Each structure stands twice: as structure tokens, then as C-alpha cells.
Amino acid sequence: MLVQQERTKPRKCAGGPETGTSSPEHMTNGVNPPTHRQPHPLNIDFRSGFYRSQLLRKDPGRLTQKSTLIEYASDNLSKLVILGLLLLSVIILIFVKNKGDSSALLCAQPPAKNEVVNPYPKVGFRKIAKLKDKSKYKVFKADKWIIVAVSGPPTDQIRAMVKVQGWQVLAIGDSHTPANWDVRGAIFLSIEQQAALGFRILAHLPYTSYVRKSVGYLFAIQHGGKLIYDADEHASILGGSLDSVFDIALSGSQSKRETLLQYVPMANRTTVNPYIHFGQRSIWPRGFPLESVSNINPEIIYARVPSGRQYIQQGLSNGFPDVDSIFYHSRKAESESFVVRFDSHALPVSLPRGTMAPVNNINTLFHYSSFWALMLPVSVHPQVSDILRGYWAQRLLWEIGGVCAIYPPSVYREDDMQPHYFEEEKDLHDNVERLAAFLAAWTSKKGSFFKRILHLSHAMAGAGFWGIQDVTYTADWLQDLVSVGYKQPDLLVHGAANDTSPQSHLDHMEFVPLAIPSAHLGVEESGTVGYEVANLLRWNKFYGNIVLILHCTSPIDHTAIGWKMLYGRIFKSVVLLSSKNDSQFKVLQTEDSQIYRAFPEIFERYTDVDGFLFLKDYVILNYWNLLQANKSKLWNLHKVGKSWKVASHGRNGTEWYLQKAVKQSVKAMAKLHQELAIPLMFLAMDHRDNFDPEAFSTVVYKTGSDAVYSAEAHIVRPLKVATQYDLLHVIKGMASGDPLLLEVL
């Protein structure tokens, strides 16, 4: 990343030139050296108190210059000491007099190093001068702008954008954009033209990235923008109209709706997958926490809130949706392209305070009250920048009573079949869940909205979500907004933490999302949605407070997401164990022979659940066949902690311990083999009479390579699941008992 930095100019010191070194002319006090002598390296005459240039005559009878100085210093030692004390007194006097003004001592000592790791910018928003455009567009004005970054020749999609009635297209180039880029009806700003605009943020922007769109945002605001649509150069606007999908007018006679659906807030839920609301339960957007991808249950019940504050509106994309690299590489063959469609008739849904969803830069509408939210961070990878911006912006919306809403598909994008690298998104996968929790807990008491924006940017840098450069970048961005005439929104009257009136619920309403088939995998549409959803609710009621512990004996790389989506929609949580650590999917590393050692940590993590179920990955659970079991006699493992048995290590110890073979294998602090540990765990459980004898009574077990699957049994084993294809094959078989599994594929 290329960052321009202003050079520090040398400071003039009193009585000297800019270098800070005193010159002879300033130190002679008006006395000129003798005219009969030639210039020579300086000798110091302490008696006269000034620098004198003199040329020692070559007289072997006289003492040399060096010996003369030594002799003089020896004879006048007391005078030199007094002179030194006087100079030291003067320096101390200057220091005391100018205490607190470091500039007064720049000539006496070097500046101290800045020990502040994360400095807080000081910005005087009231002193910012207005910046006028001096380009050929200085008198151009438009209310509605489409901002698009262009890195290659003009696309057909951009040529179609200029035909969208009532909207002005602004194309922002980078160093890869052809110099002759031109589309009739669009304004194009090259890097050179951008530099001439004089914005502060230009010093932070890389030359080869779409984040240069930030220049376009400021340009549009400077030229009268009231609406800004963030677009992608490869996306086609459906129907050639933005007005037909988005809420262009939030109030007045032009407003399309009086109320808006809203997710019902839930405890401990900070993110939602909006793709489920629009019919695609097996797809998740880029920037959605991987830990939550298995939660594919539809909402069904929504709140209904007043419309008018959906300042940020995120539209969906048919064809190739905005997905991450993990989804892209794990859900299709490399030679296939995605062709996905969302429910275009589903109602828009807004996000309540405390709940967020990924927001991108390829299909998003910003109203004037959210123009501050257009800033794209520069210290992170471009594949991460817009998602971080979206989460940051959603949190700040709560301070002004605004909301973010998700809208039906408004564009169509074709899969370009270009590589999608996990490394580019790694920061998202590692931090997005933590980021959502951080934002939900963040508060500020700053007196103005812009100061709270700066406060949050500083806090995010301190927490490691982006770099310190984005703190100074935020300060420059806010100053640029003021300089182009943008008026910051007002804070909520009683503070964002207490005032919930803008999101007061009118009532609740039922909305059952469609289950659109995953056409890109050739899966046929499932049956009646209502019946299947009812089954899903019954299963959730039965298993919803149970934790599944799944030990994966096969490589976890391509099956972790599949396992979590298969069982995660039923159980409270799915904990994966494997001999190979994988922090990306939160897999706990255990040795195959000592799996039990991971159990205490899991038990302590979920202290409020009804129980735990342990499975191997070659054992398939047909969960729909256990609904008739006696639940109170099924989930007993939660009682383990209350019924530990203590084994004596003494001579009179228990019978099992006194056996020679056991004593040799059991030592203090030793790792017990599971063949010894598992029986001990069963000893700690309830008596067998307290278990439901019918549960797990029907098992399909067949050795060899001809293992078969049956949807009528409780358990099927062994079924080898070593690859993603194996897992998809199992899920297709299980769909005969749970048709909604077709949507997991």
C-alpha cells in the first residue's frame, strides 16, 4: 500500500538559520576580523567572545595553534568554568520559561519520540474551510449518484447503468484503468483528476484498489448528492431500475411503505444470515461468521416497525451472490459456475439494535443520513474492507436511530470463475464473530456524532480489527465531509443507549420464507414448506438444548461446514473433535485414543444445557426417529459432574485398580486410554434402569464395503464420510426422513 507522508521541515532557531547552526555573521556582534588575514578553519578567541578566522603564520619559532589553545585553557581554567556555568544557567532559564512549549527547545535538544502507540486524533470540525471543486465539473449538480470503481475497459453493465433514469453514473479509475476510458453519459475520474480534487483522504488511498471509490463518494456529496448507490462494474441492474426495489423515498407521498419487517432480537445473537429470509437456507454471505452458518432455521415470526429510518439498504444479487471463498470452493465443482436466485417477492427486512448482517459495496443504497458510512478502510485487504465498513456503520447507525435493511435481489452478477483466496478473507473468518460482539458492547459518551465515529474507529484499531492508519484516515474522511458541505446527523435526544422509540414494535406478523431449490446443484424443490417447517420446530424443541460432540476420524478440511449445517440446525451446538487442529472451523484437537480428555472443557463451556450426545463421524443419527423417546431418561450425561466416583490409589484400592495390568497403565497424571476411561465414565452415569430401553434400539450395522443406509433406523453405522462428496451422498439419503435437508446441499 502506498502512503504519502509530508516531510518535516527544519525549524528556525532564535539567532540562527534553518539548520539550527549559528553562523559567523550572527556571532561577531559587529566586529570584523582583521583584513590582512585569509579565511582559515575556525579558532575560538574566548577573550573577545566571538569566532575569528585567522591564518597562523609559518614560523617555526612560534607555538602551534594547538599548543596555544592548550596553554590558554590551562591559564584560564577558572574563567572557562564560570563561562560554562553561565551558559548552563541560561539553558535552564529558557526551559523554565517555556515549559510546555517543546518548540522553544528544538535547537537545544532533539524532539522526544512519541511513545503513544495509538494516538487519538484531535480535530477541530468548526475550523474546517469549505473546499470548492475547480475542475470542469464545478457547476455540475445531481441528486442521485451511482458510484462504480473501474479497473478495465468499459463493461456492458456500466453502459446499461447510464440508462437508469434519474441517476448519474460516476466511474472511479485506478492505475490499471485505461487512460481513454469513456462511456457516454458517465463522469470518469482518473487518478490524476482525483488528485486535483484536494481531498485529505488521497494521501491514504492505494493506487490499485476499488477503495478509491471513497473519492467518488466525496465528489458526489460535493455536487449535491442526496442518494448514493454503491455499484459493481460487472453487475446488471434488474429491470433497469433501482426505484422498483429500494426505498428511494423514506417519507412523504413518494414513500412505498409505512411499516417494515424486522428480525426479533434474541439474546446472544449479534448476526443473522439474511439469505435465509430470501429463500436460500444453504448459502451465507461473505463476512458472516462461520460459527453460525449451521443455523439455517427460518424466522417465521417477525416484528413490524415504522418505516423511514432504513438509511442503509443492502440489496441481494441473483446469479453469483456475494459469498466467501470457503463457500465458493466447497459447494460446487471448479468447472461449474454459480446460478442462484433469491425470492424477489419477499418483503424487505430490517435489523434491530444489537443485530447485524454483512453489508458489501456492490449493491447497496445509502441515504444522505448515512453518507458518513461510505468510508472504505485502507489498512486491511480490499476483500475485507467493505465488510468491516458495513459492521462499523451498522453499529454507528444505532447512535442516530437509523437501521440497516436487506432488500430483494436488485442485480444479476455472472460468476467470473476467478480464484477466490482464503488468505484474502482470513481476517474476516478469524475476527468477525469477535467484531460483532465488540460492536454490540461498545458505548460512547462523546458529545457529537462525528466524535463518536472517530471514537469507534480508534477503539477498533486498539482492538486490532484494523490498523492505526484507519484512525487518521477516519479523521481526514470526516474533515473532507465537512469541507464538501455535509451536515452530520444529530444524536438521539436521550442517547442511543436508552432511546428505542424509533424501533418500537407495532406488533408481530408471520412470514414463512420460501425454500428455493439450490438450482446450481440440480436439486429438486422440496415439498410443502409449512409441513417441513413444523417438523423442524418439533425437532428443535426436542434437541434444541442438547450439544452434539462429533469426533471426526476422517480429514475435516472439506466436511466441517457440512457437519455443522447437517446437525447444527437441530442441536444447540455442534462441537467437532479431530486429531488435527483447525481454528478456522473451531475444531478441538484430540488424540484418537484419548477423546474423553476434551469432554470436561466442553461440559464447562455449556453449563446450562440438557445434555450431550457423542457420535463418531461414521455413525449417522436419524434424529426424526427419536421424538417418541423419553427425554428425561435419554440425556443423562449432564449428571456426570455430580456423580464422580473416587478411586483409591492405596493398597486397599478398588478391584479394577489393583489388577496388575491396570496398575502398570495408570500412573499419577497419566493419560488414560479410552478403553479404560470410557468404562469409568459409564460408572459415573445413571443405572441402566433409568435409561429409555427403546431409544437407539434400532440400529443398522453392516460390516464390509456394502454398508447401506436406512431412514427408519435410529442409528446407521458404519458409513464412511471422508470427503465432501461422501457427506453430500449421506445427506441426500437422509432427506427421505428430513426433506429440508435438500436445502443444505
Side-chain angles (χ1 to χ4, degrees):
M1 185 175 299
L2 186 61
V3 179
Q4 298 176 354
Q5 188 170 1
E6 186 176 324
R7 296 180 180 270
T8 303
K9 296 182 179 180
R11 192 180 186 89
K12 288 187 178 182
C13 299
E18 286 186 350
T19 60
T21 303
S22 301
S23 66
E25 291 75 14
H26 283 83
M27 299 299 295
T28 56
N29 295 328
V31 180
N32 295 323
T35 57
H36 64 279
R37 293 177 178 175
Q38 300 293 326
H40 188 272
L42 297 178
N43 292 312
I44 302 177
D45 188 339
F46 292 99
R47 291 169 294 182
S48 62
F50 59 84
Y51 293 127
R52 174 185 295 167
S53 296
Q54 67 177 21
L55 178 63
L56 292 177
R57 297 179 180 178
K58 298 180 180 179
D59 186 348
R62 297 185 62 176
L63 294 175
T64 63
Q65 173 186 350
K66 182 175 181 181
S67 61
T68 302
L69 289 175
I70 294 175
E71 181 181 354
Y72 179 83
S74 178
D75 294 340
N76 298 275
L77 180 60
S78 60
K79 295 180 179 180
L80 291 175
V81 172
I82 294 174
L83 179 61
L85 292 175
L86 287 174
L87 291 174
L88 181 61
S89 300
V90 172
I91 293 174
I92 294 175
L93 181 61
I94 295 175
F95 178 81
V96 173
K97 185 176 180 180
N98 296 280
K99 186 176 181 180
D101 182 7
S102 60
S103 63
L105 295 176
L106 285 177
C107 300
Q109 62 183 19
K113 292 183 178 179
N114 186 3
E115 298 179 355
V116 180
V117 177
N118 192 359
Y120 197 96
K122 295 182 179 180
V123 181
F125 290 110
R126 297 181 180 180
K127 300 179 181 180
I128 300 173
K130 188 174 182 180
L131 181 64
K132 295 182 178 180
D133 183 12
K134 299 179 181 179
S135 71
K136 62 181 179 180
Y137 302 108
K138 58 185 177 182
V139 297
F140 187 87
K141 298 289 183 181
D143 291 335
K144 298 185 290 186
W145 292 78
I146 297 175
I147 312 295
V148 57
V150 294
S151 58
T155 63
D156 292 338
Q157 290 85 354
I158 293 180
R159 293 189 178 93
M161 287 180 191
V162 298
K163 299 178 182 178
V164 178
Q165 188 174 4
W167 292 80
Q168 174 61 51
V169 174
L170 173 61
I172 303 299
D174 59 27
S175 59
H176 295 310
T177 311
N180 61 347
W181 196 99
D182 181 63
V183 171
R184 185 176 181 180
I187 296 177
F188 170 67
L189 294 179
S190 65
I191 283 186
E192 294 75 17
Q193 290 172 308
Q194 297 169 37
L197 296 174
F199 297 140
R200 295 171 178 81
I201 64 169
L202 286 163
H204 303 275
L205 299 177
Y207 288 103
T208 58
S209 172
Y210 76 85
V211 300
R212 299 194 70 86
K213 292 171 81 172
S214 296
V215 176
Y217 305 144
L218 291 173
F219 182 90
I221 298 170
Q222 187 179 39
H223 290 267
K226 297 296 184 292
L227 288 169
I228 291 180
Y229 173 66
D230 220 356
D232 177 26
E233 64 178 328
H234 300 292
S236 301
I237 297 175
L238 295 177
S241 172
L242 295 173
D243 301 50
S244 60
V245 175
F246 294 109
D247 284 325
I248 304 301
L250 296 179
S251 60
S253 59
Q254 300 298 319
S255 177
K256 292 193 297 186
R257 66 189 87 249
E258 295 182 358
T259 61
L260 194 66
L261 284 187
Q262 189 175 86
Y263 286 101
V264 176
M266 294 185 182
N268 301 320
R269 183 178 76 169
T270 55
T271 56
V272 294
N273 179 359
Y275 288 0
I276 299 174
H277 176 82
F278 293 93
Q280 290 290 355
R281 300 172 187 173
S282 64
I283 305 177
W284 63 91
R286 176 172 56 96
F288 187 66
L290 293 178
E291 296 80 6
S292 302
V293 297
S294 59
N295 300 326
I296 64 172
N297 302 335
E299 296 292 315
I300 301 178
I301 301 298
Y302 294 80
R304 194 163 61 92
V305 298
S307 178
R309 289 182 174 265
Q310 56 271 34
Y311 299 145
I312 299 178
Q313 301 174 17
Q314 171 70 76
L316 302 188
S317 171
N318 279 342
F320 178 40
D322 185 27
V323 294
D324 60 29
S325 59
I326 294 176
F327 182 91
Y328 188 82
H329 291 296
S330 65
R331 305 305 299 276
K332 70 177 184 65
E334 294 296 328
S335 59
E336 296 177 337
S337 60
F338 276 105
V339 180
V340 176
R341 66 182 179 90
F342 292 96
D343 182 9
S344 60
H345 300 291
L347 297 174
V349 58
S350 66
L351 304 168
R353 180 184 178 88
T355 305
M356 291 167 278
V359 172
N360 58 47
N361 80 106
I362 61 177
N363 182 27
T364 313
L365 181 69
F366 292 81
H367 281 263
Y368 184 88
S369 294
S370 65
F371 280 178
W372 49 268
L374 286 160
M375 183 196 79
L376 289 163
V378 294
S379 66
V380 296
H381 193 280
Q383 192 70 358
V384 176
S385 178
D386 59 333
I387 302 299
L388 282 188
R389 175 186 75 172
Y391 280 109
W392 169 81
Q394 288 176 78
R395 174 59 189 89
L396 288 166
L397 275 177
W398 305 345
E399 302 296 304
I400 59 175
V403 298
C404 175
I406 315 299
Y407 283 70
S410 52
V411 299
Y412 186 93
R413 298 169 68 219
E414 292 186 5
D415 187 355
D416 55 11
M417 304 291 287
Q418 296 297 317
H420 293 70
Y421 299 109
F422 172 78
E423 291 77 12
E424 298 175 349
E425 304 168 348
K426 189 175 185 304
D427 288 340
L428 279 181
H429 301 308
D430 290 346
N431 295 319
V432 68
E433 184 179 38
R434 183 172 68 92
L435 172 62
F438 169 84
L439 292 173
W442 176 82
T443 59
S444 178
K445 295 182 179 180
K446 298 293 183 180
S448 70
F449 183 55
F450 274 8
K451 289 182 179 179
R452 292 192 183 182
I453 293 177
L454 194 57
H455 184 199
L456 179 56
S457 292
H458 183 267
M460 287 180 61
F465 296 114
W466 57 34
I468 187 60
Q469 181 187 4
D470 277 318
V471 181
T472 56
Y473 179 52
T474 303
D476 287 344
W477 165 259
L478 296 175
Q479 292 178 85
D480 281 338
L481 282 176
V482 175
S483 70
V484 298
Y486 181 71
K487 305 297 184 183
Q488 62 174 306
D490 294 328
L491 295 169
L492 291 180
V493 176
H494 301 294
N498 301 317
D499 193 338
T500 59
S501 58
Q503 302 179 36
S504 299
H505 296 172
L506 297 177
D507 52 28
H508 291 80
M509 68 174 295
E510 183 176 308
F511 175 81
V512 180
L514 293 179
I516 298 178
S518 301
H520 59 289
L521 290 176
V523 180
E524 294 182 0
E525 187 168 0
S526 55
T528 305
V529 174
Y531 174 77
E532 294 171 358
V533 169
N535 277 336
L536 189 62
L537 294 176
R538 291 172 59 210
W539 299 332
N540 281 336
K541 184 177 180 180
F542 191 83
Y543 298 95
N545 205 31
I546 307 299
V547 173
L548 174 65
I549 305 172
L550 183 65
H551 178 230
C552 299
T553 57
S554 297
I556 197 67
D557 305 50
H558 300 295
T559 57
I561 291 293
W563 284 123
K564 287 198 171 186
M565 294 188 70
L566 170 61
Y567 290 126
R569 52 202 285 278
I570 302 298
F571 290 91
K572 179 180 181 67
S573 185
V574 177
V575 179
L576 299 180
L577 305 180
S578 175
S579 59
K580 181 181 178 183
N581 184 37
D582 194 329
S583 59
Q584 173 185 337
F585 298 112
K586 308 295 184 183
V587 177
L588 297 180
Q589 184 176 10
T590 60
E591 297 181 26
D592 289 346
S593 63
Q594 295 160 5
I595 305 169
Y596 71 93
R597 290 175 60 85
F599 290 173
E601 177 186 345
I602 299 172
F603 296 161
E604 292 177 3
R605 189 191 310 175
Y606 300 97
T607 58
D608 58 344
V609 300
D610 293 337
F612 301 83
L613 173 64
F614 174 77
L615 287 179
K616 294 272 193 175
D617 60 354
Y618 50 74
V619 177
I620 305 303
L621 173 66
N622 292 334
Y623 41 83
W624 50 86
N625 290 326
L626 284 173
L627 293 184
Q628 305 304 320
N630 186 338
K631 189 175 179 179
S632 64
K633 293 188 175 184
L634 186 60
W635 311 111
N636 306 75
L637 201 54
H638 67 289
K639 300 180 181 179
V640 170
K642 300 179 180 179
S643 56
W644 291 113
K645 293 185 180 295
V646 179
S648 172
H649 288 198
R651 172 168 246 159
N652 299 321
T654 56
E655 182 179 351
W656 67 269
Y657 179 73
L658 292 178
Q659 296 178 13
K660 183 177 181 180
V662 175
K663 290 181 67 175
Q664 290 177 348
S665 62
V666 180
K667 299 179 181 179
M669 303 301 293
K671 298 179 179 179
L672 296 179
H673 192 280
Q674 65 175 4
E675 293 180 359
L676 180 61
I678 297 300
L680 287 176
M681 295 184 66
F682 275 99
L683 287 174
M685 294 174 63
D686 283 355
H687 190 273
R688 66 180 183 178
D689 292 341
N690 292 331
F691 288 92
D692 186 340
E694 298 300 323
F696 303 108
S697 60
T698 306
V699 177
V700 173
Y701 179 79
K702 201 165 187 178
T703 60
S705 59
D706 56 346
V708 294
Y709 173 79
S710 171
E712 284 72 36
H714 295 121
I715 295 291
V716 178
R717 75 176 298 264
L719 284 178
K720 183 179 180 181
V721 182
T723 66
Q724 179 189 347
Y725 177 80
D726 294 338
L727 184 55
L728 290 176
H729 183 72
V730 169
I731 292 176
K732 284 184 178 180
M734 294 177 69
S736 60
D738 178 6
L740 280 179
L741 283 176
L742 294 175
E743 299 307 316
V744 177
L745 296 174

